[in-house]
Amino acid sequence: MELIRTPKCHPQESMKPNTHLTDQTCIQENGENKKEKKSMTAATNEKVSNYMPDEISYSILSKLPLKSLKRFECVQKSWSILFENHHFMNMFRDNLLSYSDPASLILRVFKNRKQLFYSFSGERFENNKVKLDWSNPCENYIFGSRSINGTFCLHGSVHYSEIVLWTPATQTRKLLPDSVAESFKMFIPDEADVSFLYHVQGFGYDRLINDYKVIRYVGIYVDSYPGDEDWLEDLDSDHLWEIYSLRSNSWRKLHVDMPYTLQCYGDTQIYMDGVCHWLCEHYNFEPCLVSFYLSNEEFFVTPIPSDVDDCFDVKVSWINLAVLNESIALISYHTETTTFHISILSEFGMKESWTKLFIAGPLPCVERPIIVGTKGEIFFIRKDEELVWLDLSTQMIRELGYKREPYTMLWIIIYKDGILSIEG
């Protein structure tokens, strides 16, 4: 029988590792280690690259409009309580009051049955008191709003329907045609006692179709009307809304039911980005802001909560709307405390979206507030009859170089030059 012999290995040989396999394994392990280290390094670098110090992020966020800032509150917890951070609020207020387009301050003075216009310009209105030849086209007209692309909307008292669009730079004057309400007057008998009151609510520019528009509320009051009243049924109510288009040079009836204001002056009406806003204090409505979109003719009503501003309380003698860094600002003067309260809005239609920024004062020297500028400058008459302005960013009062004389009335108009003419 043949024996099968198993070859015997040398003890040292039996302990000798498989050199080929070991080298290959080491190479693989080294490769994996390098990949893992590279991956860890990349992750570390990514964390480092995504990290931003609070000081830098706060500086960036403080430059945003309030509406944009509110959208970022959900990013991280510290951003959701930014308005509780005093350091951030100081930066936000400074930026809010620094962004604006260059504008001139126009002083309108009535003296001895004549009106005079003076222009104040410059960063701090240092180029002061330049007399303007603005008298002729502005006689007996109210400046219903600030200038839009260099054009004003001028109108008479509530008893007159006449409206004029006027561009001072080109001396262009456009008298608007008869409105929808005027056409109804043709059917009223002479013996009837019917009155129409005209309240211009807004003037703005529809950039989508390159068109200037005017919105107006017309109240119709019938004391006595002998005979047939069928024409009143065509109105559907005791009032109507109408809108004017410069492109068509015509008025048409608006089928809306919005709160309206009886105080049709520039301090309670503003325009921003295709939207007309007016402050409503009518007794039939709670205090609110009405925002009307010129392009689609939709509107939003934003209530004003009492904890933001008791703006229609007897304690408040003056209230103003302004645009500060793409935000609607509500600024009021409280007589008892001689303080100005400044709040801004982040979302239309939301009562809780008002944010009170700060209170300026007390300022016992205030005789009569007038208007708010494009950077939040509050212009007022001081008790010594000097025309001054309050710089909200520094809380300092600066003189304009004009003192009100006895038996004179004055208004302030904010004017910006524009290149979009109303001609054609």
Side-chain angles (χ1 to χ4, degrees):
M1 183 169 80
E2 185 178 0
L3 297 175
I4 301 176
R5 297 181 181 270
T6 304
K8 292 183 179 181
C9 297
H10 191 275
Q12 292 181 354
E13 290 180 355
S14 64
M15 299 294 294
K16 187 176 181 180
N18 188 326
T19 306
H20 175 70
L21 293 176
T22 304
D23 291 343
Q24 194 174 33
T25 304
C26 288
I27 291 171
Q28 291 176 352
E29 289 177 355
N30 288 337
E32 291 175 359
N33 289 338
K34 288 180 180 179
K35 288 181 180 179
E36 186 176 353
K37 289 179 180 179
K38 187 175 181 181
S39 176
M40 291 175 64
T41 303
T44 303
N45 289 338
E46 185 178 357
K47 289 180 180 179
V48 171
S49 64
N50 288 339
Y51 173 74
M52 182 181 294
D54 286 343
E55 187 66 26
I56 296 177
S57 62
Y58 288 175
S59 177
I60 295 172
L61 291 170
S62 68
K63 294 179 173 63
L64 296 176
L66 180 62
K67 184 176 182 178
S68 301
L69 182 59
K70 288 286 187 180
R71 292 175 179 173
F72 289 110
E73 285 185 339
C74 61
V75 173
Q76 58 187 57
K77 185 178 179 180
S78 62
W79 291 11
S80 66
I81 54 175
L82 284 175
F83 286 93
E84 299 175 17
N85 185 315
H86 294 293
H87 176 61
F88 173 80
M89 286 304 297
N90 288 334
M91 289 192 294
F92 181 78
R93 282 193 290 262
D94 289 343
N95 289 320
L96 183 77
L97 301 173
S98 63
Y99 288 98
S100 69
D101 297 327
S104 297
L105 180 71
I106 307 299
L107 178 63
R108 186 187 190 191
V109 181
F110 279 88
K111 180 181 178 181
N112 299 328
R113 296 184 179 181
K114 294 182 180 179
Q115 63 175 344
L116 303 172
F117 291 87
Y118 299 98
S119 172
F120 297 82
S121 59
E123 184 70 20
R124 297 190 177 276
F125 308 104
E126 64 275 7
N127 305 324
N128 56 358
K129 207 173 176 180
V130 177
K131 190 175 180 180
L132 302 175
D133 183 19
W134 277 21
S135 299
N136 291 334
C138 304
E139 293 287 351
N140 303 319
Y141 282 110
I142 298 170
F143 284 76
S145 68
R146 304 175 185 218
S147 67
I148 308 297
N149 301 325
T151 296
F152 287 105
C153 177
L154 310 178
H155 59 85
S157 69
V158 295
H159 299 284
Y160 299 95
S161 64
E162 189 174 89
I163 296 178
V164 173
L165 301 184
W166 179 57
T167 307
T170 60
Q171 290 297 310
T172 306
R173 186 177 185 270
K174 170 69 177 176
L175 177 64
L176 272 55
D178 288 343
S179 69
V180 176
E182 292 297 295
S183 64
F184 284 105
K185 288 186 176 181
M186 300 171 56
F187 304 99
I188 303 177
D190 295 336
E191 62 273 18
D193 188 3
V194 180
S195 58
F196 290 72
L197 298 184
Y198 304 90
H199 306 279
V200 175
Q201 304 293 294
F203 165 60
Y205 176 71
D206 186 349
R207 64 181 63 183
L208 294 181
I209 58 174
N210 187 28
D211 193 11
Y212 288 91
K213 295 181 178 180
V214 179
I215 312 147
R216 184 163 67 179
Y217 171 86
V218 182
I220 305 168
Y221 303 90
V222 182
D223 290 331
S224 63
Y225 189 88
D228 189 11
E229 298 185 16
D230 289 341
W231 70 277
L232 286 173
E233 297 179 1
D234 295 333
L235 294 175
D236 299 326
S237 65
D238 58 355
H239 68 272
L240 65 85
W241 285 90
E242 53 188 13
I243 187 168
Y244 168 80
S245 164
L246 180 64
R247 289 190 69 180
S248 63
N249 190 32
S250 63
W251 292 87
R252 61 180 173 82
K253 187 177 177 181
L254 265 178
H255 297 280
V256 295
D257 188 15
M258 301 181 287
Y260 58 91
T261 178
L262 301 178
Q263 304 297 323
C264 303
Y265 302 98
D267 54 354
T268 58
Q269 300 174 345
I270 56 174
Y271 163 84
M272 183 181 72
D273 294 336
V275 185
C276 291
H277 308 269
W278 59 86
L279 201 59
C280 176
E281 77 294 354
H282 195 262
Y283 63 90
N284 286 336
F285 313 102
E286 65 174 320
C288 63
L289 177 76
V290 181
S291 305
F292 182 85
Y293 284 75
L294 295 174
S295 58
N296 57 18
E297 299 181 357
E298 293 183 353
F299 70 93
F300 289 92
V301 175
T302 307
I304 300 174
S306 57
D307 60 335
V308 167
D309 199 0
D310 298 325
C311 57
F312 302 107
D313 192 273
V314 292
K315 297 177 182 179
V316 176
S317 62
W318 174 87
I319 192 165
N320 197 289
L321 286 177
V323 177
L324 301 178
N325 191 20
E326 301 179 28
S327 294
I328 304 298
L330 179 66
I331 303 176
S332 62
Y333 179 68
H334 293 239
T335 309
E336 288 189 357
T337 58
T338 68
T339 54
F340 287 98
H341 294 229
I342 296 92
S343 302
I344 55 176
L345 181 67
S346 59
E347 295 288 341
F348 300 147
M350 298 178 62
K351 187 174 185 177
E352 62 275 11
S353 63
W354 289 100
T355 300
K356 179 167 282 190
L357 286 183
F358 58 100
I359 298 174
L363 297 166
C365 65
V366 176
E367 174 68 22
R368 180 173 70 89
I370 302 177
I371 202 169
V372 179
T374 57
K375 290 187 178 181
E377 313 98 330
I378 300 178
F379 300 91
F380 62 91
I381 298 293
R382 206 164 53 190
K383 288 187 176 179
D384 61 359
E385 302 299 327
E386 195 76 31
L387 179 60
V388 299
W389 61 283
L390 172 65
D391 187 341
L392 289 178
S393 60
T394 63
Q395 299 284 303
M396 294 187 65
I397 295 176
R398 304 177 186 275
E399 295 183 354
L400 273 169
Y402 180 87
K403 191 167 186 175
R404 183 174 64 176
E405 299 179 23
Y407 310 108
T408 60
M409 300 176 63
L410 58 85
W411 290 265
I412 288 179
I413 306 161
I414 305 300
Y415 174 69
K416 292 183 182 181
D417 285 325
I419 60 173
L420 297 173
S421 173
I422 61 172
E423 293 178 295

